[in-house]
Amino acid sequence: MELLYWRDMKQSGLLFGSVLLLLFSLTQFSVVSVVAYLALAALSATISFRIYKSVLQAVQKTDEGHPFKAYLDMEISLSQDQMQRYAENVQHYLNSMLKELRRLFLVQDLVDSLKFAVLMWLLTYVGALFNGLTLLIMVVVSMFSMPVVYDKYQAQIDQYLGLIRTQVNSVVGKIQEKIPGAKRKAE
Protein backbone atom coordinates (compact mmCIF):
# COMPACT_ATOMS: atom_id res chain seq x y z
CA MET A 1 0.00 0.00 0.00
CA GLU A 2 2.91 2.34 0.69
CA LEU A 3 3.96 1.98 -2.94
CA LEU A 4 0.50 2.89 -4.23
CA TYR A 5 0.37 6.02 -2.08
CA TRP A 6 3.82 7.06 -3.36
CA ARG A 7 5.30 7.40 0.15
CA ASP A 8 8.72 6.45 -1.28
CA MET A 9 8.91 8.11 -4.70
CA LYS A 10 11.90 6.09 -5.94
CA GLN A 11 10.44 2.68 -5.17
CA SER A 12 6.96 3.61 -6.39
CA GLY A 13 8.35 5.09 -9.60
CA LEU A 14 10.59 2.08 -10.19
CA LEU A 15 7.75 -0.39 -9.67
CA PHE A 16 5.26 1.66 -11.70
CA GLY A 17 7.71 2.13 -14.58
CA SER A 18 8.78 -1.52 -14.56
CA VAL A 19 5.22 -2.83 -14.60
CA LEU A 20 4.19 -0.42 -17.36
CA LEU A 21 7.28 -1.30 -19.41
CA LEU A 22 6.48 -4.99 -19.02
CA LEU A 23 2.84 -4.49 -20.03
CA PHE A 24 3.73 -2.31 -23.01
CA SER A 25 6.29 -4.93 -24.05
CA LEU A 26 3.60 -7.59 -23.90
CA THR A 27 1.44 -5.53 -26.28
CA GLN A 28 4.21 -5.73 -28.91
CA PHE A 29 5.80 -9.14 -28.27
CA SER A 30 4.69 -12.56 -27.11
CA VAL A 31 5.00 -13.56 -23.46
CA VAL A 32 7.76 -16.03 -24.32
CA SER A 33 9.79 -13.33 -26.10
CA VAL A 34 9.38 -10.83 -23.25
CA VAL A 35 10.43 -13.40 -20.64
CA ALA A 36 13.39 -14.45 -22.79
CA TYR A 37 14.52 -10.84 -23.34
CA LEU A 38 14.20 -10.05 -19.62
CA ALA A 39 16.19 -13.16 -18.72
CA LEU A 40 18.88 -12.27 -21.28
CA ALA A 41 19.10 -8.71 -19.96
CA ALA A 42 19.46 -9.91 -16.36
CA LEU A 43 21.99 -12.55 -17.37
CA SER A 44 24.00 -10.01 -19.40
CA ALA A 45 24.10 -7.65 -16.43
CA THR A 46 25.20 -10.32 -13.95
CA ILE A 47 27.83 -11.82 -16.28
CA SER A 48 29.21 -8.36 -17.07
CA PHE A 49 29.38 -7.48 -13.37
CA ARG A 50 31.08 -10.79 -12.55
CA ILE A 51 33.70 -10.27 -15.28
CA TYR A 52 34.22 -6.65 -14.20
CA LYS A 53 34.80 -7.70 -10.59
CA SER A 54 37.17 -10.50 -11.66
CA VAL A 55 39.25 -8.10 -13.78
CA LEU A 56 39.26 -5.54 -10.98
CA GLN A 57 40.45 -8.19 -8.50
CA ALA A 58 43.20 -9.29 -10.91
CA VAL A 59 44.42 -5.73 -11.46
CA GLN A 60 44.32 -4.79 -7.77
CA LYS A 61 45.60 -8.21 -6.74
CA THR A 62 42.89 -8.70 -4.11
CA ASP A 63 40.94 -11.78 -3.24
CA GLU A 64 37.39 -10.61 -2.52
CA GLY A 65 35.84 -13.77 -3.90
CA HIS A 66 32.62 -14.17 -5.82
CA PRO A 67 30.67 -10.87 -6.03
CA PHE A 68 27.32 -12.63 -5.60
CA LYS A 69 28.43 -14.92 -2.74
CA ALA A 70 26.00 -13.37 -0.25
CA TYR A 71 23.11 -14.03 -2.62
CA LEU A 72 24.29 -17.54 -3.46
CA ASP A 73 24.40 -18.42 0.25
CA MET A 74 20.91 -17.05 0.96
CA GLU A 75 18.09 -19.53 1.52
CA ILE A 76 15.28 -18.91 -0.99
CA SER A 77 12.98 -21.87 -0.47
CA LEU A 78 9.46 -21.61 0.88
CA SER A 79 8.66 -23.55 4.00
CA GLN A 80 5.88 -26.11 4.04
CA ASP A 81 3.87 -23.86 6.39
CA GLN A 82 4.10 -20.95 3.95
CA MET A 83 3.07 -23.15 1.03
CA GLN A 84 0.16 -24.54 3.02
CA ARG A 85 -0.98 -21.01 3.96
CA TYR A 86 -0.83 -19.87 0.34
CA ALA A 87 -2.70 -22.98 -0.82
CA GLU A 88 -5.37 -22.45 1.85
CA ASN A 89 -5.82 -18.82 0.78
CA VAL A 90 -6.17 -19.83 -2.87
CA GLN A 91 -8.61 -22.57 -1.90
CA HIS A 92 -10.68 -20.11 0.17
CA TYR A 93 -10.90 -17.60 -2.70
CA LEU A 94 -11.74 -20.27 -5.26
CA ASN A 95 -14.45 -21.79 -3.06
CA SER A 96 -16.06 -18.44 -2.32
CA MET A 97 -15.93 -17.48 -6.01
CA LEU A 98 -17.52 -20.79 -7.03
CA LYS A 99 -20.29 -20.38 -4.45
CA GLU A 100 -21.03 -16.86 -5.64
CA LEU A 101 -21.06 -17.90 -9.31
CA ARG A 102 -23.37 -20.81 -8.49
CA ARG A 103 -25.68 -18.42 -6.63
CA LEU A 104 -25.72 -15.98 -9.56
CA PHE A 105 -26.12 -18.50 -12.39
CA LEU A 106 -28.78 -20.56 -10.61
CA VAL A 107 -30.77 -17.38 -9.77
CA GLN A 108 -30.92 -17.66 -6.01
CA ASP A 109 -31.68 -13.92 -5.94
CA LEU A 110 -33.30 -12.56 -9.11
CA VAL A 111 -32.08 -8.99 -8.64
CA ASP A 112 -28.46 -10.03 -8.08
CA SER A 113 -28.58 -12.32 -11.12
CA LEU A 114 -30.02 -9.50 -13.24
CA LYS A 115 -27.27 -7.16 -12.01
CA PHE A 116 -24.71 -9.80 -12.98
CA ALA A 117 -26.34 -10.18 -16.42
CA VAL A 118 -26.18 -6.41 -16.99
CA LEU A 119 -22.54 -6.39 -15.89
CA MET A 120 -21.68 -9.22 -18.30
CA TRP A 121 -23.57 -7.44 -21.09
CA LEU A 122 -21.57 -4.25 -20.42
CA LEU A 123 -18.35 -6.26 -20.38
CA THR A 124 -19.10 -7.50 -23.91
CA TYR A 125 -18.92 -3.87 -25.06
CA VAL A 126 -15.78 -3.22 -23.02
CA GLY A 127 -14.22 -6.35 -24.54
CA ALA A 128 -15.10 -5.13 -28.01
CA LEU A 129 -13.35 -1.80 -27.36
CA PHE A 130 -10.25 -2.94 -25.46
CA ASN A 131 -8.14 -6.05 -25.28
CA GLY A 132 -7.08 -7.57 -21.97
CA LEU A 133 -3.63 -5.97 -21.90
CA THR A 134 -5.05 -2.50 -22.48
CA LEU A 135 -7.44 -3.02 -19.58
CA LEU A 136 -4.56 -4.29 -17.43
CA ILE A 137 -2.50 -1.19 -18.28
CA MET A 138 -5.48 0.99 -17.32
CA VAL A 139 -5.84 -0.91 -14.03
CA VAL A 140 -2.14 -0.44 -13.19
CA VAL A 141 -2.26 3.28 -13.97
CA SER A 142 -5.45 3.59 -11.88
CA MET A 143 -3.90 1.66 -8.99
CA PHE A 144 -1.02 4.11 -8.82
CA SER A 145 -3.04 7.30 -9.39
CA MET A 146 -6.44 6.82 -7.72
CA PRO A 147 -5.25 6.41 -4.11
CA VAL A 148 -3.28 9.66 -4.31
CA VAL A 149 -6.18 11.53 -5.94
CA TYR A 150 -8.65 10.14 -3.39
CA ASP A 151 -6.32 11.03 -0.53
CA LYS A 152 -6.12 14.61 -1.81
CA TYR A 153 -9.82 15.13 -2.68
CA GLN A 154 -11.51 12.72 -0.25
CA ALA A 155 -14.27 15.09 0.95
CA GLN A 156 -15.47 16.02 -2.54
CA ILE A 157 -15.29 12.45 -3.83
CA ASP A 158 -17.20 11.09 -0.82
CA GLN A 159 -19.89 13.73 -1.31
CA TYR A 160 -20.44 12.82 -4.96
CA LEU A 161 -20.28 9.09 -4.26
CA GLY A 162 -22.99 9.57 -1.60
CA LEU A 163 -25.21 11.30 -4.16
CA ILE A 164 -24.60 8.56 -6.72
CA ARG A 165 -25.26 5.82 -4.15
CA THR A 166 -28.58 7.46 -3.18
CA GLN A 167 -29.70 7.66 -6.81
CA VAL A 168 -28.67 4.08 -7.57
CA ASN A 169 -30.45 2.76 -4.46
CA SER A 170 -33.57 4.69 -5.47
CA VAL A 171 -33.55 3.21 -9.00
CA VAL A 172 -32.83 -0.31 -7.72
CA GLY A 173 -35.69 0.03 -5.21
CA LYS A 174 -38.11 1.06 -7.97
CA ILE A 175 -36.99 -1.82 -10.16
CA GLN A 176 -37.35 -4.31 -7.30
CA GLU A 177 -40.91 -3.11 -6.64
CA LYS A 178 -41.87 -3.76 -10.26
CA ILE A 179 -40.27 -7.21 -10.59
CA PRO A 180 -42.49 -9.97 -9.27
CA GLY A 181 -40.68 -12.32 -6.92
CA ALA A 182 -37.84 -9.91 -6.22
CA LYS A 183 -37.55 -9.57 -2.50
CA ARG A 184 -36.09 -6.39 -1.05
CA LYS A 185 -33.17 -6.98 1.27
CA ALA A 186 -33.36 -5.52 4.77
CA GLU A 187 -31.25 -2.36 4.98
Side-chain angles (χ1 to χ4, degrees):
M1 289 306 284
E2 296 296 315
L3 292 173
L4 297 181
Y5 280 103
W6 293 80
R7 303 276 193 254
D8 184 0
M9 296 291 261
K10 284 183 181 178
Q11 286 186 347
S12 293
L14 183 66
L15 179 67
F16 181 61
S18 300
V19 170
L20 274 184
L21 180 65
L22 175 69
L23 291 175
F24 283 131
S25 298
L26 288 173
T27 62
Q28 299 299 316
F29 305 105
S30 72
V31 174
V32 174
S33 295
V34 170
V35 170
Y37 283 132
L38 287 174
L40 280 173
L43 194 57
S44 298
T46 55
I47 289 173
S48 299
F49 186 71
R50 171 76 194 272
I51 292 172
Y52 167 74
K53 283 300 225 180
S54 297
V55 169
L56 196 61
Q57 287 175 14
V59 169
Q60 293 178 347
K61 296 186 175 142
T62 61
D63 189 24
E64 295 175 11
H66 197 287
F68 298 116
K69 182 153 180 52
Y71 296 110
L72 289 170
D73 293 339
M74 253 180 12
E75 183 65 34
I76 59 168
S77 64
L78 292 173
S79 70
Q80 189 168 355
D81 290 339
Q82 287 174 319
M83 287 300 295
Q84 189 170 3
R85 250 184 296 142
Y86 293 141
E88 287 172 358
N89 285 340
V90 168
Q91 178 187 14
H92 172 72
Y93 289 124
L94 283 175
N95 285 338
S96 62
M97 183 180 66
L98 288 173
K99 286 178 185 175
E100 185 64 20
L101 287 174
R102 179 184 65 187
R103 188 182 76 76
L104 291 170
F105 279 107
L106 298 179
V107 194
Q108 183 176 353
D109 182 5
L110 182 63
V111 174
D112 286 346
S113 293
L114 287 174
K115 287 179 194 176
F116 183 66
V118 168
L119 176 66
M120 291 299 109
W121 178 69
L122 290 173
L123 283 179
T124 62
Y125 287 103
V126 171
L129 295 173
F130 305 106
N131 70 19
L133 278 175
T134 305
L135 289 174
L136 195 57
I137 290 170
M138 291 169 60
V139 165
V140 168
V141 170
S142 297
M143 280 175 48
F144 278 90
S145 60
M146 283 186 171
V148 175
V149 170
Y150 181 74
D151 206 26
K152 191 171 184 177
Y153 300 105
Q154 184 174 1
Q156 296 94 328
I157 292 172
D158 286 345
Q159 177 186 356
Y160 288 116
L161 284 178
L163 292 172
I164 292 170
R165 187 176 295 123
T166 306
Q167 291 296 320
V168 167
N169 288 342
S170 170
V171 170
V172 167
K174 289 177 184 176
I175 291 172
Q176 284 179 335
E177 290 172 1
K178 298 194 188 283
I179 296 176
K183 57 181 181 271
R184 187 160 174 101
K185 293 179 183 174
E187 294 180 16

Coordinates of all heavy atoms in Angstrom, one line a residue, residues 39-83:
A39 N 15.2 -12.2 -19.3 CA 16.2 -13.2 -18.7 C 17.6 -12.9 -19.3 O 18.6 -12.9 -18.6 CB 15.8 -14.6 -19.0
L40 N 17.6 -12.6 -20.6 CA 18.9 -12.3 -21.3 C 19.5 -11.0 -20.7 O 20.7 -10.9 -20.5 CB 18.7 -12.2 -22.8 CG 18.7 -13.5 -23.6 CD1 18.3 -13.2 -25.0 CD2 20.0 -14.2 -23.5
A41 N 18.6 -10.0 -20.5 CA 19.1 -8.7 -20.0 C 19.7 -8.9 -18.6 O 20.7 -8.4 -18.2 CB 18.0 -7.7 -19.9
A42 N 19.0 -9.7 -17.7 CA 19.5 -9.9 -16.4 C 20.8 -10.7 -16.4 O 21.7 -10.4 -15.7 CB 18.4 -10.6 -15.6
L43 N 20.8 -11.7 -17.3 CA 22.0 -12.6 -17.4 C 23.2 -11.7 -17.9 O 24.3 -11.9 -17.4 CB 21.7 -13.7 -18.3 CG 22.7 -14.9 -18.3 CD1 22.9 -15.4 -16.8 CD2 22.2 -16.0 -19.2
S44 N 22.9 -10.9 -18.9 CA 24.0 -10.0 -19.4 C 24.5 -9.1 -18.3 O 25.8 -8.9 -18.2 CB 23.5 -9.2 -20.6 OG 23.1 -10.0 -21.6
A45 N 23.7 -8.5 -17.5 CA 24.1 -7.6 -16.4 C 24.9 -8.4 -15.4 O 26.0 -7.9 -15.0 CB 22.9 -7.0 -15.8
T46 N 24.5 -9.6 -15.0 CA 25.2 -10.3 -13.9 C 26.5 -10.9 -14.5 O 27.5 -10.8 -13.8 CB 24.4 -11.5 -13.4 OG1 23.9 -12.3 -14.4 CG2 23.2 -10.9 -12.6
I47 N 26.6 -11.3 -15.7 CA 27.8 -11.8 -16.3 C 28.8 -10.7 -16.4 O 30.0 -10.8 -16.1 CB 27.6 -12.5 -17.6 CG1 26.9 -13.9 -17.4 CG2 28.9 -12.7 -18.4 CD1 26.5 -14.6 -18.7
S48 N 28.3 -9.5 -16.9 CA 29.2 -8.4 -17.1 C 29.8 -7.9 -15.7 O 31.0 -7.6 -15.6 CB 28.5 -7.2 -17.7 OG 28.0 -7.6 -19.0
F49 N 28.9 -7.9 -14.7 CA 29.4 -7.5 -13.4 C 30.4 -8.5 -12.8 O 31.4 -8.1 -12.2 CB 28.2 -7.3 -12.4 CG 28.5 -6.8 -11.1 CD1 28.9 -5.5 -10.9 CD2 28.5 -7.6 -10.0 CE1 29.2 -5.0 -9.7 CE2 28.8 -7.1 -8.7 CZ 29.2 -5.8 -8.6
R50 N 30.2 -9.8 -13.0 CA 31.1 -10.8 -12.5 C 32.4 -10.7 -13.2 O 33.5 -10.7 -12.6 CB 30.5 -12.2 -12.8 CG 31.4 -13.3 -12.5 CD 31.6 -13.6 -11.1 NE 32.7 -14.5 -10.8 CZ 32.6 -15.8 -10.7 NH1 31.5 -16.4 -11.0 NH2 33.7 -16.5 -10.5
I51 N 32.4 -10.4 -14.5 CA 33.7 -10.3 -15.3 C 34.4 -9.0 -14.8 O 35.6 -9.0 -14.6 CB 33.5 -10.3 -16.8 CG1 33.0 -11.7 -17.2 CG2 34.7 -9.8 -17.6 CD1 32.5 -11.7 -18.7
Y52 N 33.6 -7.9 -14.7 CA 34.2 -6.6 -14.2 C 34.9 -6.8 -12.9 O 36.0 -6.4 -12.6 CB 33.1 -5.6 -14.1 CG 33.5 -4.3 -13.4 CD1 34.4 -3.4 -14.0 CD2 33.0 -4.1 -12.1 CE1 34.7 -2.3 -13.3 CE2 33.4 -3.0 -11.4 CZ 34.2 -2.1 -12.0 OH 34.6 -0.9 -11.3
K53 N 34.2 -7.5 -11.9 CA 34.8 -7.7 -10.6 C 36.0 -8.6 -10.7 O 37.0 -8.4 -9.9 CB 33.8 -8.3 -9.6 CG 32.8 -7.3 -9.1 CD 33.4 -6.2 -8.4 CE 32.7 -5.9 -7.1 NZ 33.3 -4.8 -6.4
S54 N 36.0 -9.6 -11.5 CA 37.2 -10.5 -11.7 C 38.4 -9.7 -12.2 O 39.5 -9.9 -11.7 CB 36.8 -11.7 -12.6 OG 35.8 -12.5 -12.0
V55 N 38.2 -8.9 -13.2 CA 39.2 -8.1 -13.8 C 39.8 -7.1 -12.7 O 41.0 -6.9 -12.6 CB 38.8 -7.4 -15.1 CG1 39.8 -6.3 -15.5 CG2 38.5 -8.4 -16.2
L56 N 38.9 -6.5 -12.0 CA 39.3 -5.5 -11.0 C 40.1 -6.2 -9.9 O 41.1 -5.7 -9.4 CB 38.0 -4.9 -10.4 CG 38.2 -3.6 -9.6 CD1 38.8 -2.5 -10.4 CD2 36.9 -3.2 -9.0
Q57 N 39.7 -7.4 -9.5 CA 40.4 -8.2 -8.5 C 41.8 -8.6 -9.0 O 42.8 -8.5 -8.3 CB 39.7 -9.4 -8.1 CG 38.5 -9.2 -7.2 CD 37.7 -10.5 -6.9 OE1 38.2 -11.6 -7.2 NE2 36.5 -10.3 -6.4
A58 N 41.9 -8.9 -10.3 CA 43.2 -9.3 -10.9 C 44.1 -8.1 -11.0 O 45.3 -8.2 -10.7 CB 43.0 -9.9 -12.3
V59 N 43.6 -6.9 -11.3 CA 44.4 -5.7 -11.5 C 44.9 -5.3 -10.1 O 46.0 -4.9 -9.9 CB 43.6 -4.6 -12.2 CG1 44.4 -3.3 -12.1 CG2 43.4 -5.0 -13.6
Q60 N 44.0 -5.3 -9.1 CA 44.3 -4.8 -7.8 C 45.0 -5.9 -6.9 O 45.3 -5.6 -5.8 CB 43.1 -4.3 -7.1 CG 42.5 -3.0 -7.7 CD 41.2 -2.5 -7.0 OE1 40.6 -3.2 -6.2 NE2 40.8 -1.3 -7.3
K61 N 45.0 -7.1 -7.4 CA 45.6 -8.2 -6.7 C 45.0 -8.4 -5.4 O 45.7 -8.6 -4.4 CB 47.1 -8.1 -6.6 CG 47.8 -8.1 -8.0 CD 49.3 -8.1 -7.9 CE 49.8 -8.2 -9.2 NZ 50.7 -7.8 -9.9
T62 N 43.6 -8.4 -5.3 CA 42.9 -8.7 -4.1 C 42.1 -10.0 -4.3 O 42.0 -10.5 -5.4 CB 41.9 -7.6 -3.8 OG1 40.9 -7.5 -4.9 CG2 42.6 -6.2 -3.6
D63 N 41.7 -10.5 -3.2 CA 40.9 -11.8 -3.2 C 39.6 -11.6 -2.5 O 39.4 -12.1 -1.4 CB 41.8 -12.9 -2.6 CG 41.1 -14.3 -2.9 OD1 40.4 -14.4 -3.9 OD2 41.4 -15.2 -2.1
E64 N 38.7 -10.9 -3.1 CA 37.4 -10.6 -2.5 C 36.4 -11.8 -2.7 O 35.4 -11.8 -2.1 CB 36.8 -9.3 -3.1 CG 37.6 -8.1 -2.7 CD 37.0 -6.8 -3.4 OE1 35.9 -6.9 -4.0 OE2 37.7 -5.8 -3.4
G65 N 36.7 -12.6 -3.6 CA 35.8 -13.8 -3.9 C 34.7 -13.4 -4.9 O 34.7 -12.4 -5.6
H66 N 33.8 -14.3 -4.9 CA 32.6 -14.2 -5.8 C 31.8 -13.0 -5.4 O 31.4 -12.8 -4.3 CB 31.8 -15.5 -5.8 CG 30.9 -15.6 -6.9 ND1 29.7 -14.8 -7.1 CD2 30.9 -16.5 -8.0 CE1 29.1 -15.2 -8.2 NE2 29.8 -16.2 -8.7
P67 N 31.4 -12.1 -6.4 CA 30.7 -10.9 -6.0 C 29.2 -11.2 -5.6 O 28.6 -10.3 -4.9 CB 30.7 -10.0 -7.3 CG 31.0 -11.0 -8.4 CD 31.8 -12.1 -7.8
F68 N 28.7 -12.3 -6.0 CA 27.3 -12.6 -5.6 C 27.3 -13.7 -4.5 O 26.2 -14.4 -4.3 CB 26.5 -13.1 -6.8 CG 26.4 -12.1 -7.9 CD1 27.0 -12.3 -9.2 CD2 25.8 -10.9 -7.7 CE1 26.9 -11.4 -10.2 CE2 25.6 -10.0 -8.7 CZ 26.2 -10.2 -9.9
K69 N 28.4 -13.9 -3.8 CA 28.4 -14.9 -2.7 C 27.3 -14.8 -1.7 O 26.7 -15.8 -1.3 CB 29.8 -14.9 -2.1 CG 29.9 -16.0 -1.0 CD 31.4 -16.4 -0.9 CE 31.6 -17.5 0.2 NZ 30.7 -18.7 0.0
A70 N 27.0 -13.6 -1.3 CA 26.0 -13.4 -0.3 C 24.6 -13.8 -0.8 O 23.9 -14.4 0.0 CB 25.9 -11.9 0.1
Y71 N 24.4 -13.6 -2.0 CA 23.1 -14.0 -2.6 C 23.1 -15.5 -2.9 O 22.0 -16.2 -2.8 CB 22.8 -13.3 -3.9 CG 22.7 -11.8 -3.7 CD1 23.6 -10.9 -4.2 CD2 21.6 -11.3 -3.0 CE1 23.5 -9.5 -3.9 CE2 21.4 -9.9 -2.8 CZ 22.4 -9.1 -3.3 OH 22.2 -7.7 -3.0
L72 N 24.2 -16.1 -3.2 CA 24.3 -17.5 -3.5 C 24.1 -18.3 -2.2 O 23.6 -19.4 -2.2 CB 25.6 -17.9 -4.1 CG 25.8 -17.5 -5.6 CD1 27.2 -17.7 -6.0 CD2 24.8 -18.2 -6.5
D73 N 24.5 -17.7 -1.0 CA 24.4 -18.4 0.2 C 23.0 -18.2 0.9 O 22.7 -18.9 1.9 CB 25.5 -17.9 1.2 CG 26.9 -18.3 0.8 OD1 27.0 -19.3 0.0 OD2 27.9 -17.7 1.2
M74 N 22.2 -17.3 0.4 CA 20.9 -17.1 1.0 C 20.0 -18.2 0.7 O 20.0 -18.8 -0.4 CB 20.3 -15.8 0.3 CG 20.3 -14.6 1.3 SD 19.6 -13.1 0.7 CE 18.8 -13.4 -0.8
E75 N 19.1 -18.5 1.7 CA 18.1 -19.5 1.5 C 16.9 -18.9 0.8 O 16.3 -17.9 1.3 CB 17.7 -20.1 2.9 CG 16.7 -21.2 2.9 CD 17.3 -22.5 2.2 OE1 18.5 -22.7 2.3 OE2 16.5 -23.2 1.5
I76 N 16.4 -19.5 -0.3 CA 15.3 -18.9 -1.0 C 14.1 -19.9 -1.1 O 13.2 -19.6 -1.9 CB 15.7 -18.4 -2.4 CG1 16.3 -19.6 -3.2 CG2 16.6 -17.3 -2.3 CD1 16.4 -19.2 -4.7
S77 N 14.1 -20.9 -0.4 CA 13.0 -21.9 -0.5 C 11.8 -21.5 0.5 O 12.0 -20.8 1.5 CB 13.5 -23.3 -0.1 OG 13.9 -23.3 1.2
L78 N 10.6 -21.8 0.1 CA 9.5 -21.6 0.9 C 9.3 -22.8 1.8 O 9.4 -23.9 1.4 CB 8.2 -21.5 0.0 CG 8.1 -20.2 -0.9 CD1 7.0 -20.3 -1.8 CD2 8.1 -19.0 0.0
S79 N 8.9 -22.5 3.0 CA 8.7 -23.6 4.0 C 7.3 -24.2 3.7 O 6.5 -23.7 3.0 CB 8.7 -23.0 5.4 OG 7.5 -22.2 5.6
Q80 N 7.1 -25.4 4.3 CA 5.9 -26.1 4.0 C 4.7 -25.3 4.6 O 3.6 -25.3 4.1 CB 6.0 -27.5 4.6 CG 4.8 -28.4 4.3 CD 5.0 -29.8 4.6 OE1 6.1 -30.2 5.0 NE2 4.0 -30.7 4.4
D81 N 4.9 -24.7 5.8 CA 3.9 -23.9 6.4 C 3.4 -22.7 5.5 O 2.3 -22.4 5.3 CB 4.3 -23.3 7.7 CG 4.5 -24.4 8.8 OD1 3.9 -25.5 8.6 OD2 5.2 -24.1 9.8
Q82 N 4.4 -22.0 4.9 CA 4.1 -21.0 4.0 C 3.3 -21.5 2.7 O 2.3 -20.9 2.3 CB 5.4 -20.3 3.5 CG 6.0 -19.4 4.5 CD 7.4 -18.9 4.0 OE1 8.1 -19.6 3.4 NE2 7.7 -17.6 4.3
M83 N 3.8 -22.6 2.2 CA 3.1 -23.1 1.0 C 1.7 -23.5 1.4 O 0.7 -23.3 0.6 CB 3.8 -24.4 0.5 CG 5.1 -24.0 -0.3 SD 4.8 -22.9 -1.7 CE 3.9 -24.0 -2.7

